[in-house]
Amino acid sequence: MLKNSHSDIFPIFFGVWMVLCLFSAAFFSFSKNAKLKRKVWPPFTIGTAILFVGFVWAMDWPSQTFLFMIPVVALITFFNLRSAKFCDACGKTNMSRNPFFRSRFCSKCGAKLEP
């Protein structure tokens, strides 16, 4: 079996990543349905992390880089899952700028965010 080169996989990775960025930005920015966002956020975040790791694996990076990257991606995924809050009052997606503290109030309408 032939190994994939960076030049074969990267255009696919870039295209998939751009589509994910555009659709997720549109959905999480413009949708007012906080309940749906709460339901979609965990599988979306975990799925994109797995997709990213999969692309790195497919590009056949050195195993040291790959093994270092997995815990980093897991930590980033954890902080992304933890920092996102969705306002029931206005539907805004609130992301804490500090990964160690969660937003308590909506940055748009000031409503209290669910814990």
Side-chain angles (χ1 to χ4, degrees):
M1 182 186 212
L2 295 173
K3 295 227 178 201
N4 295 319
S5 72
H6 297 271
S7 60
D8 293 340
I9 300 296
F10 185 76
I12 298 166
F13 166 75
F14 187 78
V16 168
W17 212 252
M18 287 297 100
V19 169
L20 277 174
C21 287
L22 292 172
F23 282 111
S24 66
F27 174 71
F28 289 107
S29 295
F30 299 118
S31 173
K32 303 294 183 202
N33 190 339
K35 185 177 177 181
L36 179 61
K37 287 181 182 182
R38 275 189 212 98
K39 190 175 183 178
V40 170
W41 183 248
F44 173 77
T45 304
I46 293 167
T48 54
I50 291 168
L51 184 66
F52 182 78
V53 170
F55 272 119
V56 171
W57 176 78
M59 287 192 283
D60 198 32
W61 284 25
S63 59
Q64 302 93 320
T65 304
F66 187 69
L67 292 175
F68 172 76
M69 186 202 60
I70 290 173
V72 171
V73 170
L75 185 63
I76 291 168
T77 302
F78 170 76
F79 282 130
N80 281 336
L81 288 170
R82 187 176 190 277
S83 67
K85 294 287 184 182
F86 307 101
C87 180
D88 285 318
C90 70
K92 178 165 176 33
T93 301
N94 292 272
M95 295 291 288
S96 175
R97 292 181 189 195
N98 184 336
F100 300 104
F101 297 101
R102 297 178 184 180
S103 299
R104 292 179 29 204
F105 299 96
C106 178
S107 61
K108 182 177 179 182
C109 71
K112 187 171 172 98
L113 299 172
E114 90 172 25

